[in-house]
Amino acid sequence: MDSRVLQTWELSLWRGTEEGRFASYQVPCRERQTVLDVVTYVQRHIDASVSYRFACRVGMCGSCAMTVNGVPRWTCRTRIAEVAQGNRIAIAPLSHLPVIKDLVCDMSVFFEKWTTAGGAFVPTPGATDNFAHIPPDHAARRAADAAIECIGCGVCYAGCDVVGWRPEYLGPAALNRAWTLVNDARDGAGAERIAAVAGDAGCHACHSQQNCTRHCPKHLNPAASIAGLKRRAAAALWRGGS
Amino acid sequence: MSRAGEARLWLAQRISAGILGVAVVVHLGTIIYAAHVGFSAAAIISRLHDNLLFATFYFVFVAAAAVHAPIGLRAVIAEMTAWRGRSLNVAAVAFALLLFALGAHAVLLLTAGV
Amino acid sequence: MFAASRFHARNHSNYWAFMLHRISGVALALFLPVHFWVLALAAKSLNGFLVWAHQPLVEYAEAGLVLLLALHLTGGLRVLVLEFLPWHNWQKTAIAISGGVSLGVALVFMLNLT
């Protein structure tokens, strides 16, 4: 859309908790406006009681993710003109997470699942004595590298159907994090982590629908990370482990 | 079910999928060949009779299908309906046994005439 | 609007591949017991089976089953490649194209025969 042609955005914002409704607002069009800019305009000029989260506004902190016209997105780096349908735009909180108020979700479950998936680094004994020698082109190093830039925004989690179908499923972000550590030569909890991410609540529930990979704003590939975990877990079973 | 148990089911479904991948190609090839040559059903059945190769192949085929299908159905039901847990696992095992019994029965009738 | 946006968020090739695989898988799992049952009946009373099997409706149903089987086979090969081989984006494209082409060729071949 060419924003010079349009005068106002017809905005539908989710108000309330899980039991809420969409409220309508008109927001003037500006050049290069982001979705976050439009929500901020509502809060500053129309209704100060609108609740939403943001911090960095430059795609680093991962706090401003919302559902924009049905698709989970980081709102600070999403141009509204690229995602509006005509001049209509509907903004809701992320799916699969409890709504605290308006556009703000409770992210606790999301991050608790990172812990359950063994998301914490566990140094091998003696790892602090000397530097680990890891060549930059080492295969495991490259696998970890490809998945490491996650900002924890929750877009993949909200976009994943399996999370909706199996509430206990750890989800793409937590499993992607586990994959980076499985490939970290300095980490000593590999076997425990592989056991923690196996099964119907872990990597084996993934159907490779790849909504996560499609929606990840950092262009990571959690589906590939999960496939890697499936292979490691299967190999561990084959060897008679866990 | 334990996480390792669920992972074993996943692996069992993939291994049976590998067997089925070969078996289905052979099966489809046989159907197309039979139709191409224009065998009647009677001719097909007479060729199957006392054929140990066919019997072995189709027993393996039936066994792989009896492992593969119930694991898949169990996942679909757990994800798309409210039914999950122990009763679903029991039903999946029952379905596996039913499939194997019916399939083995058909293979025996067609190859041995039992 | 929200049904449309739910669709929009999932309208990509990998999701379509998943849906086709799931639908064909459930249909095949439900069909299998019937298939085995009919085979057993055919082995017992051949003449009755031949009359039944040559009704147009039954022949269309058979073509549908071959389609489901071919879809689930090629979709399953895709899943195995995704899960067991190192990840390459071109690999998925190649599998999708080869699956689609082989399916089309097989169906045309089948339809020419009947």
Side-chain angles (χ1 to χ4, degrees):
Chain A
M1 289 304 301
D2 186 346
S3 57
R4 284 166 301 185
V5 178
L6 294 170
Q7 295 300 305
T8 56
W9 300 112
E10 295 294 329
L11 193 65
S12 299
L13 274 192
W14 185 260
R15 300 303 308 268
T17 57
E18 315 265 323
E19 306 288 313
R21 61 183 182 84
F22 279 95
S24 300
Y25 304 92
Q26 273 92 41
V27 175
C29 295
R30 299 272 185 271
E31 286 286 330
R32 294 187 294 279
Q33 229 167 355
T34 65
V35 174
L36 185 64
D37 290 335
V38 170
V39 177
T40 300
Y41 182 93
V42 173
Q43 203 224 30
R44 300 224 173 132
H45 300 285
I46 302 175
D47 184 347
S49 73
V50 170
S51 300
Y52 66 111
R53 276 201 195 101
F54 74 95
C56 74
R57 295 174 295 128
V58 292
M60 290 172 68
C61 73
S63 58
C64 70
M66 302 169 198
T67 307
V68 184
N69 276 354
V71 179
R73 296 182 184 279
W74 55 358
T75 56
C76 69
R77 298 287 301 274
T78 302
R79 294 267 178 87
I80 191 164
E82 287 166 12
V83 294
Q85 291 164 353
N87 66 338
R88 287 161 55 83
I89 191 107
I91 305 176
L94 289 178
S95 305
H96 307 147
L97 291 162
V99 182
I100 297 172
K101 180 176 174 288
D102 302 340
L103 304 171
V104 178
C105 290
D106 184 350
M107 302 288 285
S108 316
V109 182
F110 175 72
F111 286 114
E112 280 160 12
K113 285 179 175 178
W114 286 51
T115 313
T116 310
F121 174 65
V122 181
T124 46
T128 49
D129 298 346
N130 208 343
F131 289 108
H133 294 281
I134 303 170
D137 59 349
H138 189 252
R141 158 73 203 241
R142 289 164 72 120
D145 233 23
I148 202 72
E149 296 289 346
C150 175
I151 56 173
C153 64
V155 159
C156 59
Y157 188 86
C160 175
D161 276 6
V162 181
V163 172
W165 293 335
R166 298 182 183 268
E168 72 282 9
Y169 177 49
L170 294 170
L175 293 170
N176 181 71
R177 168 63 183 167
W179 178 242
T180 63
L181 291 171
V182 163
N183 284 289
D184 190 332
R186 306 162 303 159
D187 184 275
E192 293 89 334
R193 190 173 293 108
I194 286 296
V197 300
D200 289 348
C203 61
H204 294 114
C206 168
H207 295 300
S208 304
Q209 294 169 340
Q210 297 174 54
N211 287 339
C212 54
T213 300
R214 184 170 174 82
H215 297 315
C216 176
K218 299 289 288 182
H219 302 295
L220 304 185
N221 190 346
S225 300
I226 295 169
L229 288 176
K230 287 174 180 172
R231 286 197 292 278
R232 293 294 178 89
L237 274 179
W238 200 249
R239 288 193 304 265
S242 70
Chain B
M1 190 178 291
S2 70
R3 283 195 292 266
E6 289 158 358
R8 280 195 186 88
L9 282 186
W10 177 87
L11 191 56
Q13 204 192 19
R14 268 54 181 182
I15 292 169
S16 58
I19 296 168
L20 289 170
V22 177
V24 166
V25 169
V26 173
H27 187 53
L28 281 178
T30 310
I31 293 170
I32 291 172
Y33 173 74
H36 186 69
V37 175
F39 286 144
S40 66
I44 293 169
I45 285 173
S46 73
R47 270 157 207 271
L48 292 178
H49 208 270
D50 285 336
N51 189 328
L52 192 64
L53 192 67
F54 263 107
T56 312
F57 171 74
Y58 276 101
F59 265 118
V60 172
F61 195 175
V62 162
V67 169
H68 190 79
I71 298 175
L73 272 188
R74 174 182 171 272
V76 175
I77 290 169
E79 287 172 1
M80 297 185 144
T81 75
W83 186 15
R84 46 187 75 186
R86 193 175 169 77
S87 63
L88 177 58
N89 292 342
V90 172
V93 172
F95 186 60
L97 294 175
L98 174 78
L99 277 183
F100 186 74
L102 286 174
H105 178 232
V107 173
L108 274 179
L109 276 177
L110 287 169
T111 58
V114 178
Chain C
M1 179 178 181
F2 292 104
S5 51
R6 270 185 65 82
F7 173 78
H8 176 62
R10 290 163 182 77
N11 187 17
H12 55 97
S13 57
N14 286 302
Y15 199 87
W16 280 107
F18 158 79
M19 282 306 287
L20 278 179
H21 199 60
R22 173 153 287 198
I23 292 166
S24 60
V26 169
L28 288 169
L30 297 179
F31 158 74
L32 262 185
V34 181
H35 182 53
F36 292 152
W37 188 251
V38 168
L39 279 178
L41 286 182
K44 279 178 185 161
S45 110
L46 195 58
N47 289 334
F49 175 74
L50 284 176
V51 172
W52 179 78
H54 280 97
Q55 296 175 84
L57 200 64
V58 176
E59 288 189 334
Y60 279 121
E62 280 166 1
L65 286 168
V66 170
L67 173 65
L68 285 176
L69 193 59
L71 278 176
H72 201 72
L73 171 71
T74 51
L77 290 177
R78 170 187 163 273
V79 170
L80 290 177
V81 165
L82 281 181
E83 290 183 339
F84 286 99
L85 298 185
W87 196 282
H88 295 292
N89 289 326
W90 60 261
Q91 208 167 28
K92 289 184 292 177
T93 312
I95 291 294
I97 291 170
S98 64
V101 168
S102 61
L103 184 65
V105 169
L107 280 174
V108 167
F109 191 41
M110 285 292 297
L111 291 174
N112 279 342
L113 292 171
T114 51

